[in-house]
């Protein structure tokens, strides 16, 4: 027996993806094949294989106790609409070119409809200290039952209006709210637009002042939570030449939103000072300053040594006083 566990009818938008899952049971374990028939009246079933349609088709199969297979199609186009058929058979002659198999192929089907993605015009406007994000859908493919505004996994706003236009208002400056915002239209299937608030890097130092002991490793860190991500990080010391990763005692580790400068075997005379972390992206640059102070290894001992010195002075005074004091008269 064979059957498709995915929904038997699915709607998708162009540029989306679809995945179908099929399972077959038999003894011996049956083979699973995927076939496709388009909506063109003259088109007949053609077998699908891994890497077909300019490598947009991915097929994975496992044969353990029973057969399972998935077909995944990426970047859908209207031509991908049609009937997808899962076929399973365990007849030894199932793939023979001249012999007819004794056991017929078991078949299960799913219909996929690919709809042209409607165009969404996304804008960001600034007015009176507010950011107004808006989306306007042209030629919707289905009735609209509402909208959602989402940032990452966080739902920001939701309504049940049937309009093609939707907006979301943010109080504050662009630098404070940069990121990717999605406007989701509640249609079948859902349509999503994207509004980007893009700014130059807003760089902040993890700590404005860092302390390290002589001979230890110093760690200076800067971050940029803004969008788009940082394209390049650069470190300077006291506005001199850029620090090169791996040169001397410097090690730099950077990602799209964070950079870290490690200084090995800290030296009081050479390493004390201001370090500048600069970031650039397509919208400009930003930077921050971290002040590094290097202490002697004996710095922690100074309070203790001070107390010892005070005790020694006190004992010395008492000793001298006792020596100079006149001895008591001895009674006859």
């Amino acid at each position: 027996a064979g059957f498709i566990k995915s929904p038997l009818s699915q709607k998708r938008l162009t540029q989306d993806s679809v995945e179908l899952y099929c399972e077959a049971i038999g003894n011996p374990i049956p083979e699973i094949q995927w076939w496709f028939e388009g909506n063109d009246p003259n088109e007949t079933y053609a077998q699908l294989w891994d890497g077909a349609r300019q490598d947009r088709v991915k097929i994975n199969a496992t044969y353990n106790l029973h057969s399972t297979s998935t077909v995944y199609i990426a970047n859908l186009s209207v031509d991908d609409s049609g009937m997808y058929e899962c076929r399973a058979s365990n007849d030894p002659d199932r793939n023979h070119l001249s012999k007819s198999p004794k056991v017929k192929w078991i078949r299960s089907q799913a219909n996929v409809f690919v709809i042209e993605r409607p165009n969404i015009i996304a804008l960001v406007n600034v007015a009176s200290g507010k950011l107004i994000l808006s989306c306007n859908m042209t030629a919707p493919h289905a009735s609209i039952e509402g909208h959602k505004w989402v940032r990452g996994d966080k739902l920001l706003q939701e309504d049940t209006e049937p309009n093609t236009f939707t907006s979301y208002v943010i109080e504050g400056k662009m630098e404070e709210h940069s990121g990717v915002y999605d406007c989701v239209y509640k249609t079948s299937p859902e349509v999503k637009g994207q509004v980007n608030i893009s700014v130059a890097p807003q760089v902040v130092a993890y700590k404005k002042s860092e302390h390290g002991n002589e001979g230890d490793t110093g760690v200076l860190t800067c971050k940029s939570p803004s969008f788009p991500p940082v394209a390049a990080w650069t470190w300077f010391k006291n506005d001199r030449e850029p620090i090169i990763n791996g040169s001397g005692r410097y090690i730099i580790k950077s990602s799209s939103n964070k950079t870290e400068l490690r200084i090995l075997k800290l030296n009081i005379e050479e390493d004390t000072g201001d370090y500048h972390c600069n970031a650039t992206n397509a919208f400009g640059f930003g930077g921050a300053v971290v002040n590094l102070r290097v202490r002697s290894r004996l710095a922690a001992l100074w309070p203790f040594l001070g107390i010892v010195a005070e005790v020694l002075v006190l004992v010395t005074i008492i000793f001298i006083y006792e020596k100079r004091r006149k001895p008591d008269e001895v009674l006859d």
Side-chain angles (χ1 to χ4, degrees):
F3 53 95
I4 291 181
K5 281 193 172 182
S6 307
L8 298 182
S9 180
Q10 297 194 39
K11 290 182 180 180
R12 291 290 189 273
L13 296 173
T14 53
Q15 303 170 23
D16 282 348
S17 61
V18 67
E19 186 176 59
L20 303 174
Y21 177 84
C22 183
E23 190 172 303
I25 301 170
N27 187 19
I29 297 174
E31 175 195 0
I32 292 179
Q33 295 180 358
W34 288 96
W35 292 71
F36 169 76
E37 183 183 50
N39 292 329
D40 192 327
N42 297 324
E43 193 168 351
T44 58
Y45 275 102
Q47 186 175 355
L48 292 174
W49 66 91
D50 190 50
R53 301 181 186 175
Q54 298 179 333
D55 206 31
R56 293 188 298 111
V57 175
K58 300 294 181 184
I59 296 177
N60 292 311
T62 58
Y63 298 97
N64 185 16
L65 299 181
H66 64 282
S67 307
T68 60
S69 181
T70 58
V71 59
Y72 174 84
I73 306 168
N75 196 21
L76 290 169
S77 67
V78 175
D79 293 336
D80 294 318
S81 297
M83 188 68 70
Y84 289 80
E85 189 172 86
C86 162
R87 298 182 182 180
S89 175
N90 57 7
D91 191 292
D93 298 325
R94 59 184 176 273
N95 293 317
H96 201 282
L97 297 178
S98 57
K99 289 185 180 180
S100 297
K102 297 176 182 178
V103 180
K104 292 184 178 181
W105 287 86
I106 304 299
R107 306 183 183 196
S108 187
Q109 297 176 330
N111 206 352
V112 176
F113 300 92
V114 182
I115 304 166
E116 194 72 46
R117 178 180 293 275
N119 186 36
I120 295 178
I121 301 172
L123 296 173
V124 179
N125 293 316
V126 181
S128 304
K130 296 180 181 180
L131 303 174
I132 304 172
L133 283 59
S134 64
C135 287
N136 192 12
M137 181 193 293
T138 59
H141 66 279
S143 59
I144 300 171
E145 298 179 359
H147 316 86
K148 290 188 294 185
W149 281 90
V150 181
R151 185 182 184 186
D153 296 329
K154 185 179 180 181
L155 177 63
L156 305 173
Q157 178 179 292
E158 189 172 11
D159 64 59
T160 56
E161 299 295 326
N163 305 323
T164 57
F165 178 85
T166 178
S167 64
Y168 176 65
V169 179
I170 304 174
E171 299 278 352
K173 300 178 181 178
M174 295 183 67
E175 291 76 11
E176 300 169 351
H177 301 281
S178 66
V180 178
Y181 296 79
D182 293 322
C183 56
V184 182
Y185 286 82
K186 297 179 183 179
T187 57
S188 180
E190 283 189 345
V191 182
K192 182 188 296 184
Q194 191 176 89
V195 183
N196 295 336
I197 299 181
S198 303
V199 298
Q202 307 299 300
V203 181
V204 292
Y206 183 71
K207 288 183 180 179
K208 293 183 178 181
S209 180
E210 289 281 2
H211 300 270
N213 294 324
E214 188 177 22
D216 290 347
T217 299
V219 181
L220 312 179
T221 305
C222 290
K223 298 180 179 180
S224 174
S226 52
F227 179 86
V230 174
W233 288 97
T234 309
W235 281 92
F236 299 85
K237 182 178 185 293
N238 298 329
D239 285 334
R240 297 177 189 168
E241 292 296 319
I243 297 173
I244 306 300
N245 185 24
S247 63
R249 296 176 288 113
Y250 298 114
I251 298 175
I252 300 173
K253 293 182 179 180
S254 300
S255 63
S256 60
N257 60 357
K258 178 181 177 181
T259 183
E260 182 182 271
L261 171 64
R262 289 179 176 267
I263 308 172
L264 307 178
K265 297 180 181 180
L266 287 172
N267 183 288
I268 293 178
E269 297 180 358
E270 295 181 14
D271 299 326
T272 300
D274 290 334
Y275 290 80
H276 301 255
C277 53
N278 290 353
T280 58
N281 65 14
F283 290 83
F285 67 92
V289 180
V290 184
N291 179 261
L292 176 62
R293 297 178 182 178
V294 183
R295 300 172 295 195
S296 170
R297 279 195 172 276
L298 299 176
L301 294 175
W302 290 124
F304 173 74
L305 294 176
I307 294 173
V308 172
E310 289 178 1
V311 171
L312 290 175
V313 170
L314 181 61
V315 170
T316 302
I317 292 173
I318 295 173
F319 179 78
I320 294 172
Y321 175 78
E322 290 292 334
K323 280 289 186 181
R324 292 186 176 183
R325 193 177 64 171
K326 291 181 179 180
D328 294 338
E329 293 182 359
V330 179
L331 295 175
D332 294 337

